[in-house]
Amino acid sequence: MIGTIIGFALGFIFTHKLIGAFFCAFLGYYFYDRNRRMVTKISGEQLQHVQAIFFKTVFNLLGHIAKADGHISEVEVKLTEAYMDKMGLTPEHKREAIRLFKEGAAADFNLQMCLDLYRDIGMRSPNLSQMLLVYLVNLAMIDGDLDDKEINILQRVADSCGFSRATFEQLLRMIGAQNSFATDHRAHTNDLSLAYEALGVSHDANDADVKKAYRKLMSQYHPDKLMGQGLPEDMIKAATERSQEIQAAFDLIKKSRS
């Protein structure tokens, strides 16, 4: 669409005639919009491939992060299994997730090879990579602590996906704040500072900027959009919950400003 619009505008500027504008609009559509749709269109087979890579990456990395301190305690195993149940995985996917988790926790697991396998997907789909980091950060925080070894692994994942250090650090703060608006953290929903942090904006941001940040996040975590990019269907629950947490934070800000 953008190529069509630019073509029309340039055609009218240089020819001063509608026929010239329409001709250039057609060229804009044919050489830009049409090709762009062809590049971004993903077939069913390609989608299944992306879903498989994403699934493998998530659970390999979850296992690797869980083992970051050298061992996985019985408590961590139970919390991880509960986390998998919360994701809404099918029984078959849960068995595969446990296998991949153990693979990632193994002493000979190659982190760089895992990141290299996912890199192309991550670069093409930053929203999907953001969802990947949500899964990883949530597990790393599941015991209430985020240590340096876990942060280093998360930073390597973020670097591989093309996120800058500043973006990664902001994302960590936002995920932590958004988690405070989850159902089991209702005690924190009166904290206005957490609401601003959940949206990634400052207290003195104007209404337009707050709404813009809210809409951007809701778009990034939109279930249909993420599924179209390769998020497996039975992992969509986390994206839906993330949207609800962002909505709760925005509602609190809106209420305080009204």
Side-chain angles (χ1 to χ4, degrees):
M1 188 65 181
I2 191 170
T4 304
I5 294 171
I6 292 174
F8 183 90
L10 291 176
F12 189 79
I13 289 171
F14 287 109
T15 68
H16 302 290
K17 295 179 180 179
L18 282 176
I19 189 170
F22 282 120
F23 177 74
C24 290
F26 171 77
L27 292 179
Y29 164 77
Y30 189 85
F31 288 106
Y32 184 82
D33 293 335
R34 177 175 172 272
N35 289 335
R36 187 168 181 267
R37 282 212 302 270
M38 290 172 65
V39 169
T40 57
K41 187 176 181 181
I42 184 169
S43 69
E45 186 177 341
Q46 289 171 322
L47 188 62
Q48 288 179 353
H49 174 71
V50 172
Q51 288 173 337
I53 298 269
F54 181 82
F55 191 86
K56 176 178 171 58
T57 303
V58 167
F59 290 102
N60 274 171
L61 292 178
L62 287 177
H64 190 64
I65 287 174
K67 192 69 179 295
D69 60 358
H71 70 285
I72 302 176
S73 68
E74 187 177 339
V75 173
E76 285 177 317
V77 170
K78 289 181 179 178
L79 288 172
T80 301
E81 289 181 348
Y83 184 45
M84 289 180 181
D85 289 336
K86 186 180 178 182
M87 285 182 185
L89 301 180
T90 64
E92 181 183 354
H93 269 186
K94 186 179 178 182
R95 286 193 294 271
E96 178 63 7
I98 291 171
R99 186 190 71 79
L100 292 169
F101 181 90
K102 291 178 179 177
E103 185 177 279
D108 61 350
F109 176 70
N110 191 320
L111 175 60
Q112 191 57 53
M113 188 178 294
C114 177
L115 296 178
D116 289 344
L117 181 66
Y118 178 76
R119 180 177 287 112
D120 287 344
I121 295 170
M123 288 294 190
R124 289 198 305 268
S125 305
N127 291 354
L128 200 60
S129 296
Q130 191 156 310
M131 200 67 230
L132 169 65
L133 284 168
V134 167
Y135 283 120
L136 301 181
V137 171
N138 280 345
L139 181 71
M141 290 179 170
I142 207 166
D143 58 357
D145 186 35
L146 192 62
D147 63 35
D148 289 341
K149 290 180 180 178
E150 291 170 333
I151 291 176
N152 287 339
I153 295 172
L154 292 169
Q155 180 66 67
R156 284 187 65 181
V157 176
D159 289 343
S160 183
C161 293
F163 293 112
S164 68
R165 183 64 59 96
T167 300
F168 168 69
E169 291 174 352
Q170 183 188 38
L171 188 58
L172 274 184
R173 293 192 297 270
M174 289 170 65
I175 291 172
Q178 289 163 10
N179 287 349
S180 297
F181 287 85
T183 305
D184 55 349
H185 291 88
R186 288 181 181 176
H188 296 290
T189 57
N190 294 322
D191 194 332
L192 192 57
S193 63
L194 280 174
Y196 282 105
E197 200 161 85
L199 298 189
V201 295
S202 63
H203 290 264
D204 56 359
N206 59 41
D207 290 348
D209 286 340
V210 170
K211 186 174 289 187
K212 182 179 179 181
Y214 158 74
R215 287 177 174 171
K216 180 181 178 181
L217 286 169
M218 292 297 281
S219 175
Q220 288 172 341
Y221 292 114
H222 194 285
D224 291 340
K225 180 179 288 187
L226 286 168
M227 285 177 64
Q229 292 177 354
L231 186 69
E233 187 174 353
D234 60 353
M235 293 180 72
I236 208 67
K237 186 178 179 182
T240 303
E241 289 180 349
R242 189 66 28 179
S243 297
Q244 292 169 348
E245 291 153 14
I246 292 165
Q247 184 67 57
F250 178 68
D251 288 344
L252 182 59
I253 294 172
K254 192 166 62 171
K255 182 179 178 181
S256 73
R257 293 188 171 206
S258 63

